Amino acid sequence: MAVLMWRADTDTCVKMKGKKGKKGGGAVVQQPDGGRGGAEGGGGNGGGENGGRFVFGVSGPLSLSDISRVRRAFGATINDVSVTIISGGLDRYLQHHHAQAKEAVSPGEPAPVVTCPLPPSVRLSALCVVNIRPTPGLQEMASMLAGRSKARWGNCLSTFLLPLPVHSPSLTKGLPNTEGANVKNTDENAAGEVVGRLKSSDEQAAGEVEGRRLCMVAAMCASKRQSLEAHYNYVNARLVLATAGMKAAGALMHRLFQQTTISFSNMMGPVEEVSLGGHAIARISPTVVGQPHALTLHFQTYNGSAHIVLSALKENVPDPAFLLRCCEDAFHALKASLK
């Protein structure tokens, strides 16, 4: 209720601008580069007052064996690792673009597009879509196939909010920055900027940051799994729909999107290679457009690897390949924390 009424996310470069969404859709045109930030679509796509073109990208393959190794080392789940990778990538991306001045960047990196620093405290929430229906067993499946069965088919979709640990001083407390000085917890803004300034050569410090982030995510996701937030949201949406109608339910859902920053989902695909019409499927890249979010991220596993699938408004994310590379860097830093 607090989120619906007043507790909105911090305005960042990846948050939707505008108050009113527009209905419509657009086509995604795949370019020959394999989809890593190289697809672009057009048309109204729920882009608020900015409705326009959107971009689509797919990260490189992330090894599921490495993800499982990280999971076992920290006593976490694959969901926890996926959220940590997304959070670390967004942290790097925001620190890069929210610069006080357009400074010189490394070759291959885009110039900062926002000439203001991040505030000392950043609230960035992901709206996660989940299926609250338990996996049916063999007897239930047989009942569903029987005639005049009361068993229900399909998914039972709901949502819950997941605050992402981005720009948090606790991630860098006591760690050396790029100049070798220790970060004090007296300056939250300076502490948060260290994540963006960590060089790839400082793998130990970057790995320590991502390890701390994973511990924070694991604790938060454990509390979410024990709560009934997703079930409450489902019952509440059904109640509003039955009593106030579709228009009120749509306005309530739109408000929830407006107050948060990104949409996120994590789907498990086939563990072995599958084919369609005699052609082997290289990867599975689901996406969705039309919701009033400027950025949507999917974490999709398939055949021993995982891919991060991105769709975003071009105005908010003009460089999707760089954001995906930030997520990959966060994953490599997470692996480095095990050394």
Side-chain angles (χ1 to χ4, degrees):
M1 293 300 296
V3 173
L4 289 174
M5 296 180 65
W6 74 85
R7 192 178 174 85
D9 281 2
T10 306
D11 286 331
T12 59
C13 62
V14 296
K15 193 174 187 298
M16 174 67 68
K17 307 298 189 298
K19 296 182 179 180
K20 294 184 178 180
K22 297 179 181 179
K23 296 181 180 180
V28 174
V29 181
Q30 185 68 48
Q31 295 183 355
D33 65 348
R36 182 165 174 167
E40 190 172 311
N45 61 325
E49 297 174 354
N50 307 312
R53 305 190 70 82
F54 60 91
V55 290
F56 170 80
V58 183
S59 72
L62 308 177
S63 173
L64 269 183
S65 60
D66 290 339
I67 294 177
S68 298
R69 186 162 57 92
V70 172
R71 175 190 67 81
R72 290 191 297 269
F74 284 89
T77 65
I78 291 182
N79 285 334
D80 300 337
V81 178
S82 67
V83 173
T84 303
I85 295 171
I86 297 299
S87 302
L90 286 172
D91 203 338
R92 287 163 169 79
Y93 187 82
L94 292 177
Q95 293 294 346
H96 177 84
H97 280 294
H98 284 267
Q100 294 185 6
K102 294 191 175 183
E103 305 169 350
V105 296
S106 303
E109 292 187 358
V113 296
V114 181
T115 56
C116 63
L118 287 171
S121 179
V122 173
R123 183 185 300 113
L124 196 154
S125 303
L127 187 63
C128 302
V129 181
V130 293
N131 178 24
I132 61 176
R133 176 172 296 164
T135 304
L138 293 178
Q139 292 183 351
E140 186 174 349
M141 290 294 295
S143 175
M144 292 168 67
L145 295 174
R148 286 182 285 184
S149 172
K150 295 183 180 180
R152 298 177 61 188
W153 289 79
N155 296 322
C156 190
L157 297 180
S158 184
T159 60
F160 68 91
L161 297 181
L162 189 63
L164 301 182
V166 173
H167 196 66
S168 174
S170 58
L171 294 173
T172 53
K173 181 180 178 181
L175 291 181
N177 62 11
T178 52
E179 273 74 31
N182 287 331
V183 177
K184 305 299 182 181
N185 57 2
T186 56
D187 190 347
E188 294 182 348
N189 193 39
E193 290 177 357
V194 173
V195 178
R197 296 202 310 267
L198 286 174
K199 305 298 182 181
S200 57
S201 58
D202 195 0
E203 294 184 356
Q204 184 177 1
E208 178 67 21
V209 169
E210 297 307 323
R212 294 181 181 184
R213 196 192 310 272
L214 177 55
C215 293
M216 295 173 62
V217 169
M220 179 175 54
C221 290
S223 64
K224 289 287 183 178
R225 284 190 291 269
Q226 295 173 1
S227 71
L228 297 175
E229 180 180 348
H231 295 79
Y232 169 80
N233 290 340
Y234 178 80
V235 173
N236 183 56
R238 291 289 298 271
L239 180 63
V240 172
L241 182 62
T243 57
M246 180 64 71
K247 188 174 181 179
L252 183 69
M253 198 64 189
H254 189 277
R255 176 67 175 176
L256 188 59
F257 276 99
Q258 182 183 339
Q259 296 288 86
T260 54
T261 302
I262 71 170
S263 301
F264 176 72
S265 71
N266 181 7
M267 287 292 295
M268 183 180 68
V271 296
E272 298 179 352
E273 185 180 75
V274 296
S275 61
L276 180 63
H279 300 279
I281 296 177
R283 68 165 184 258
I284 301 175
S285 305
T287 190
V288 61
V289 295
Q291 72 280 10
H293 266 164
L295 177 62
T296 301
L297 295 168
H298 302 272
F299 195 87
Q300 177 70 50
T301 65
Y302 169 65
N303 192 24
S305 64
H307 290 84
I308 301 171
V309 186
L310 174 152
S311 62
L313 275 177
K314 190 175 183 179
E315 178 179 350
N316 295 82
V317 185
D319 45 8
F322 179 65
L323 175 54
L324 292 172
R325 192 163 77 241
C326 289
C327 294
E328 294 175 9
D329 291 343
F331 177 56
H332 296 320
L334 194 56
K335 291 192 298 182
S337 65
L338 303 181
K339 297 180 182 180

